[in-house]
Amino acid sequence: MAHWEIKIPTVTADQRPGVQVFTYPAERWPMESQARSQARQDVDSADAIRHRRGAVARPEAIRAIWHETYENREF
């Protein structure tokens, strides 16, 4: 299944960098701009903040990657 992988950089209180990753199926979010917009909303959710243990997200540095299938994921 084709999907967007959205990576948003994070920074912890002690300035350690990280990345929070969101995935969005192309059938629901067919355009990159739609996936990016949804990620910007989701990154501020209570679950996302808890998942990154309070690290500050930097959505201005968002990165979108297109995948034709889930098997092609980058790690």
Side-chain angles (χ1 to χ4, degrees), residues 1-62:
M1 175 196 317
H3 67 282
W4 290 102
E5 179 179 83
I6 307 294
K7 295 182 176 186
I8 300 178
T10 61
V11 179
T12 63
D14 59 353
Q15 300 303 307
R16 288 185 299 150
V19 176
Q20 189 162 22
V21 179
F22 297 88
T23 58
Y24 300 99
E27 63 187 35
R28 184 156 180 207
W29 292 276
M31 299 183 67
E32 180 180 349
S33 61
Q34 294 170 320
R36 284 174 174 263
S37 178
Q38 186 63 50
R40 284 189 179 100
Q41 292 175 36
D42 291 345
V43 77
D44 291 330
S45 72
D47 285 340
I49 294 167
R50 184 172 43 257
H51 180 75
R52 64 179 183 262
R53 297 183 178 138
V56 175
R58 304 200 48 200
E60 69 277 2
I62 197 170

Side-chain angles (χ1 to χ4, degrees), residues 3 5 65-75:
H3 67 282
E5 179 179 83
I65 302 163
W66 173 256
H67 295 281
E68 289 295 326
T69 66
Y70 279 101
E71 288 78 36
N72 291 338
R73 290 194 66 184
E74 290 180 24
F75 290 97

